[in-house]
Amino acid sequence: MAWPSQKPAWRKRLNTRWIRWALLRAIFRILPLSSYFSFSMTSTPAVKNACTVISDITSPETAAFTPEQEAQILGPAAINDKRYGSPPATSADFIKQVAIVSNCAVLGHTGAPVRARDSAMLTVYGGYTPNWNFAKPRRLKERVFRNGLVTSVKGRHYYHFIEHMLPVLNYLRQEHKPGTPLTVLVPGNGNAFQHEICAAVSAGFPDVSFVPLETDEKAIIDEYLWLHDASGMAEWLPVNQEGAAAFTQLMLRHYGLDDAPLGGQRLFFSRGTAKQRRLRNEAELETIASTRGFERFEAHSGNHKEQVRQFANADVIVAVHGAGLTNLLFARPGTTVIEMFPDNCVKSTYLWLSARLGLEYYALLGSNGDYQQAFTIDRGRFTTALGSFA
């Protein structure tokens, strides 16, 4: 049975967007127009189409969780976590692929890399039909990249942008030959954090240049650098302690914070006015936290420097589940994380990340969330959870 915060199946289908997508999909299956409209209907394994395979490794990894974490998070999260296949909750296969594929294109409206000749999308496994998120039939203006390696990072959402940037950083640290130019295509009209992260990476790796690709453009590429570093469990970010430390140093250096002492802060991380997953009694809990030395902080696109600084300084972080917790990448090993959820909608994203980064993780479940996952946390349980930090 679906959680109350999820749309039922009939609501996912009986709406204008889904019906339009189903109709277009039917038409494009019959008529040979997918390449003309950049409408990718099939996918193909990138490494099987590569002229050069640099790395193609699958390695299993198992994380150790407490019985409480398995009962509170891993079990209930199974319905909400995104997975490719059905791995056990406590393990996942990491797939690392680095390859060069000739004659590709990147579609600006989706960020998807495809084979130029037939618009088949490059993926890890191939064979499945891309979902409606990639179905935007549109004439795209061609932009040609003839010289040197080109790769791409997609996603304007904070979590997803960093999720796709991490394999680029892994490549630059592990496989990139110094002196070899690399062009990285990023979404046009990106948020402030995107510009800051790109500037930090460029400063650390002078061979790299970032080029915006607009939604109405299609990049035609002679040599596309396919980078995939992720898990069959999609909730795992492709990063370990070493990778997170390298990323943190890039950002600290970029912001002029690399010489500042770290530690000693207790952070009450607020979602502010976010519509999704709103903590109804946040003001009450903030007051309780402040008596124990916690300081309130709210992230937005324009204060990324403060996000890096706050999470790097924090000894304890209390937060509702959300994309802002991607900043745990900047936390020091041993930092305590208390993540709050509505009781009927939990995810294991940051439990997995904490396990990989050596963070002390605890979950605090509140009331059932409504359709927008708004919920409350019992003040007594919250006070008890913070009791160790009085």
Side-chain angles (χ1 to χ4, degrees):
M1 183 176 68
W3 299 110
S5 58
Q6 291 187 320
K7 289 183 181 180
W10 68 270
R11 285 199 62 184
K12 293 179 180 179
R13 288 166 173 76
L14 293 184
N15 60 75
T16 303
R17 188 179 188 185
W18 189 91
I19 293 172
R20 183 174 67 244
W21 153 236
L23 178 61
L24 289 171
R25 179 174 175 175
I27 292 172
F28 276 74
R29 280 185 180 276
I30 297 171
L31 301 176
L33 298 175
S34 78
S35 177
Y36 183 75
F37 282 98
S38 297
F39 188 92
S40 181
M41 293 299 296
T42 60
S43 68
T44 184
V47 293
K48 289 188 176 180
N49 290 269
C51 59
T52 303
V53 176
I54 300 171
S55 179
D56 185 12
I57 302 170
T58 299
S59 55
E61 185 163 340
T62 301
F65 299 109
T66 67
E68 184 178 27
Q69 289 170 340
E70 292 192 29
Q72 273 192 322
I73 302 299
L74 294 179
I79 196 171
N80 299 312
D81 284 348
K82 295 179 181 177
R83 305 183 186 193
Y84 310 114
S86 301
T90 56
S91 66
D93 287 335
F94 265 85
I95 301 170
K96 179 179 177 61
Q97 294 181 341
V98 181
I100 299 174
V101 187
S102 300
N103 300 318
C104 291
V106 174
L107 310 182
H109 62 286
T110 65
V114 301
R115 289 192 305 201
R117 69 176 184 270
D118 58 5
S119 290
M121 190 185 305
L122 297 179
T123 60
V124 178
Y125 303 109
Y128 66 86
T129 301
N131 65 28
W132 53 262
N133 289 305
F134 297 98
K136 293 183 179 180
R138 180 183 299 191
R139 296 297 304 276
L140 302 176
K141 297 181 294 186
E142 292 189 357
R143 188 172 173 187
V144 180
F145 293 82
R146 293 298 185 203
N147 299 315
L149 287 178
V150 179
T151 192
S152 58
V153 173
K154 61 183 179 180
R156 289 179 172 81
H157 182 276
Y158 187 55
Y159 176 91
H160 294 301
F161 181 80
I162 291 182
E163 175 189 20
H164 290 103
M165 178 64 80
L166 288 172
V168 176
L169 292 173
N170 291 342
Y171 166 78
L172 291 171
R173 291 173 43 247
Q174 297 168 5
E175 287 96 4
H176 180 70
K177 295 180 180 179
T180 304
L182 175 65
T183 299
V184 181
L185 304 178
V186 294
N189 299 318
N191 291 309
F193 69 77
Q194 175 181 305
H195 299 300
E196 298 288 359
I197 292 172
C198 290
V201 176
S202 294
F205 299 93
D207 299 332
V208 178
S209 59
F210 289 91
V211 176
L213 185 67
E214 305 300 334
T215 56
D216 63 346
E217 292 183 315
K218 175 169 62 175
I220 305 298
I221 301 165
D222 276 355
E223 291 187 315
Y224 182 77
L225 179 64
W226 166 260
L227 298 173
H228 179 87
D229 195 349
S231 168
M233 164 62 79
E235 298 301 324
W236 275 29
L237 284 174
V239 66
N240 54 22
Q241 283 193 36
E242 181 184 1
F247 183 34
T248 298
Q249 285 304 309
L250 281 178
M251 298 311 306
L252 291 175
R253 190 177 306 119
H254 171 68
Y255 288 129
L257 301 172
D258 48 328
D259 292 330
L262 301 177
Q265 189 167 354
R266 298 172 181 177
L267 187 64
F268 184 90
F269 188 48
S270 171
R271 285 179 59 78
T273 58
K275 182 179 179 181
Q276 189 83 351
R277 222 171 295 109
R278 180 170 54 87
L279 185 57
R280 289 197 180 104
N281 61 335
E282 180 179 288
E284 177 185 33
L285 302 186
E286 182 187 339
T287 300
I288 295 171
S290 66
T291 63
R292 288 160 174 77
F294 285 78
E295 297 180 14
R296 182 184 185 277
F297 176 68
E298 180 181 342
H300 56 77
S301 177
N303 70 344
H304 192 247
K305 177 178 179 178
E306 278 303 298
Q307 295 176 48
V308 174
R309 188 184 70 82
Q310 294 276 358
F311 274 76
N313 280 334
D315 290 339
V316 187
I317 299 165
V318 179
V320 173
H321 174 82
L325 279 174
T326 310
N327 288 315
L328 290 177
L329 289 166
F330 308 121
R332 292 163 294 114
T335 298
T336 298
V337 180
I338 302 176
E339 186 175 16
M340 298 180 286
F341 297 94
D343 186 60
N344 58 345
C345 192
V346 301
K347 290 177 72 68
S348 69
T349 310
Y350 301 111
L351 171 60
W352 283 103
L353 183 59
S354 296
R356 297 209 82 200
L357 301 186
L359 311 179
E360 293 289 332
Y361 179 93
Y362 302 92
L364 184 57
L365 305 186
S367 65
N368 281 352
D370 61 15
Y371 182 75
Q372 298 293 342
Q373 300 176 25
F375 69 109
T376 59
I377 294 284
D378 178 77
R379 62 173 296 158
R381 294 185 63 205
F382 184 78
T383 301
T384 301
L386 299 190
S388 300
F389 315 111

